Amino acid sequence: MFGCIVAGRLVQTNLQQVDVNKYVFELPEAQTINHIVVFLLGTNPFEPGYAATVHLLWPNKSWQLLGMLSNDKPSAIFRLKATPGSENNMVGPTAELGISIEPIQAIEQQMQQQQIQQQQMQQQNALVPAGQQPSSVSLQSAKQIAERTLQSLYDYATSFATKPDESMGMFGSGAPVQVLPVKVFEDWYTSFLRKLQRDPATSMQN
């Protein structure tokens, strides 16, 4: 019912059924895989109301959702990333490509959840300083970002500080204070948001 092609290799037909409506392809030398195509053979279409999810399992890892197949989308191409350190192994690991036939509604919910997670990951990556891995962002990095933001606000606001005059009542009595128009904070906030939307990474570094 299913077939798969690893880029640069022959078509794989070694499909194994491991449970009801669940199938697995073994992917030897998985660390060398960049792209993989999964497709319906065309002999047995899905029953009405059903489709299939496609998953990847690295050794000592959990199943990862890649995407889906359906009668309307009978093939899909996925880009795979090698597991850290796998390129150093003398004998490459064997991964597994799993296919699970499920109701379309359940699959659509999984795909929506995957899309939300990907968007959240992209937003997190956008706030990571250039050259730094998202997983290495620490409390120290968050502290540095907060300090840079506050320093930017302080430098901008104090450049507009003025001494009070007698028209300000008690503030004009000679006390060592300075005043700031509220509009200064509004202008800084608007400018900061504009920079953040245009280039989040740069705005967090400056």
Side-chain angles (χ1 to χ4, degrees):
M1 184 174 183
F2 302 101
C4 77
I5 303 176
V6 173
R9 303 183 187 180
L10 297 174
V11 177
Q12 288 191 218
T13 58
N14 58 332
L15 182 67
Q16 303 176 40
Q17 183 169 0
V18 295
D19 201 345
V20 178
N21 292 334
K22 296 185 182 298
Y23 305 84
V24 167
F25 281 105
E26 288 190 352
L27 305 175
E29 300 293 329
Q31 83 284 358
T32 64
I33 300 176
N34 292 320
H35 295 82
I36 187 169
V37 181
V38 186
F39 55 92
L40 292 175
L41 296 177
T43 54
N44 296 312
F46 293 113
E47 295 181 2
Y50 283 82
T53 51
V54 181
H55 305 257
L56 180 69
L57 178 63
W58 287 100
N60 302 318
K61 301 288 184 177
S62 57
W63 285 100
Q64 173 189 356
L65 176 63
L66 298 180
M68 64 171 290
L69 297 175
S70 67
N71 290 333
D72 294 329
K73 183 187 177 183
S75 64
I77 302 176
F78 304 108
R79 181 177 182 273
L80 306 186
K81 294 182 179 180
T83 56
S86 62
E87 65 276 4
N88 298 325
N89 295 339
M90 295 298 293
V91 178
T94 296
E96 292 184 352
L97 185 76
I99 301 175
S100 176
I101 300 176
E102 305 172 22
I104 289 181
Q105 291 183 346
I107 292 178
E108 289 177 342
Q109 292 178 356
Q110 294 182 54
M111 298 306 299
Q112 290 176 355
Q113 183 63 31
Q114 182 192 47
Q115 184 177 12
I116 293 174
Q117 292 175 351
Q118 290 175 345
Q119 291 175 348
Q120 292 175 343
M121 183 63 68
Q122 291 174 354
Q123 292 174 353
Q124 292 175 1
N125 291 346
L127 297 177
V128 176
Q132 187 174 7
Q133 295 298 324
S135 58
S136 64
V137 177
S138 62
L139 291 176
Q140 181 64 26
S141 298
K143 178 176 177 291
Q144 292 174 352
I145 292 175
E147 288 177 347
R148 285 194 292 265
T149 303
L150 291 174
Q151 186 65 48
S152 172
L153 173 59
Y154 177 82
D155 293 342
Y156 181 85
T158 53
S159 67
F160 291 90
T162 59
K163 293 183 178 180
D165 54 36
E166 296 181 356
S167 63
M168 296 180 181
M170 63 176 292
F171 292 108
S173 61
V177 296
Q178 292 181 314
V179 295
L180 290 170
V182 175
K183 191 175 185 302
V184 169
F185 295 94
E186 295 176 347
D187 291 344
W188 176 88
Y189 181 71
T190 301
S191 176
F192 182 78
L193 285 183
R194 189 182 303 113
K195 292 179 181 178
L196 190 62
Q197 293 172 354
R198 183 172 59 249
D199 190 345
T202 301
S203 63
M204 288 294 97
Q205 296 177 48
N206 296 331

